[in-house]
Amino acid sequence: MLIKKRVIVVGGGLAGLIAACQLAKNGHLVQLFEKKQYPFHRVCGEYVSNEVLDFLKRENLFPETAHFPSISKFEFSDTKGNTVSMDLDLGGFGISRFLLDDFLANQAILLGVELLQNKPVENINFNSGVFEVITQDQGTYEAEFVIAAHGKRSKLDKVLNRPFIEKRSPYIGVKYHIRTDASKETVALHNFKAGYCGLNAIEEEKFNLCYLGSRDELRKYGSIPEMEAQTLFKNPRLKEIFNSSDFLFEKPEVINEINFEFKRPVENHVLMAGDAAGLITPLCGNGMAMAIHSGKLAAEAIHRFDSREEVEKNYQRNWNMNFSRRLRVGRVVQRLFGSESASSFARFLLSDFPAIGKVIMKNTHGTPI
């Protein structure tokens, strides 16, 4: 006999939405809190590994009505613009967060999730086996389980006393949607001083251009356009892309303090999912798939087990088994990017020893779920 559990999901990104959908589908009572109003853009690479495609289609969580480019190749350029290409073993597809998150939010509502938008969560308390979730407008909500999928970095992390929040990060993320003349079947990674830029096709003949840059470089040059001109444009491939493309946003989407420090998947009895549990370096191109998978794992743990101890133990074990190695490899591999010498060495390795590239991909991606 199913025991209906009350679950609150904090954060309506991919991990939170997937968890909410799966729990509601299995008969549980789910409230999902999202601080913004759908649809909206997020700073994200917008390339999804095919390891989650069958799962999304199987669970009716994939927007079949639109066409999404299939991506099967990888292109890399060092800071001087020298390039190398290789095939992707598993491949993936391109889709914007604007479209995918909105689709999943509507699916969640259809499945019975109570979706509370424009509701930032200020605090999560746990006492006598019950969670108390407090929103910015002083609303108080109770649940037996909480999944925190609030993203890379939040005031909530500070309230929960998570250790990583005390460490400042040197990174910023910047994102555009553009129209450009580039291969729709290729995800590209172009290096520049202190960062790297990804480019891949998404729906409606558009491309997502998203880069990880340096907070110090932005401070040095005073504005994003000047920083781009003085750093990104030193790579001829990036200069060509920026100068020949049609930029579709009035201004870029920007986030600060992108942190790749170690995080725990369970803290204060809260199941952390998506970037809240651990952020893989963007160069690995696998963050969206990992968020989807982690949301699935969190929902399964709550659905399958009755005791809190079993839920937490199962989720932590499965999270570590699926993601901890990928995050470690990503942090190591990142050292090969973002400088002239390191990126030139990485291009040499990929060009002369392609098997190394295959090993990196294998160790930063999972198998189909």
Side-chain angles (χ1 to χ4, degrees), residues 265-266 293-294 296-298 300-302 304-305 310-326:
V266 179
H293 193 177
S294 71
K296 173 180 179 289
L297 293 176
E300 287 175 346
I302 292 173
R304 288 179 56 197
F305 299 98
E310 287 179 307
V311 168
E312 293 178 15
K313 183 178 179 180
N314 175 268
Y315 178 64
Q316 185 157 306
R317 180 177 65 247
N318 284 326
W319 192 95
N320 285 326
M321 182 174 66
N322 283 280
F323 307 127
S324 60
R325 179 178 175 83
R326 299 193 216 180

Side-chain angles (χ1 to χ4, degrees), residues 17-71:
L17 286 165
I18 293 295
C21 285
Q22 294 303 96
L23 285 163
K25 187 179 294 185
N26 283 308
H28 302 289
L29 305 174
V30 185
Q31 292 177 307
L32 189 153
F33 293 81
E34 168 52 50
K35 65 181 180 181
K36 295 184 180 181
Q37 179 83 30
Y38 297 103
F40 57 91
H41 293 285
R42 297 181 191 267
V43 177
C44 182
E46 301 189 335
Y47 163 83
V48 187
S49 165
N50 278 337
E51 66 194 75
V52 298
L53 182 58
D54 287 346
F55 162 75
L56 293 174
K57 291 184 174 182
R58 188 169 66 243
E59 299 296 325
N60 295 316
L61 298 174
F62 185 80
E64 299 275 10
T65 55
H67 171 72
F68 305 103
S70 177
I71 297 171

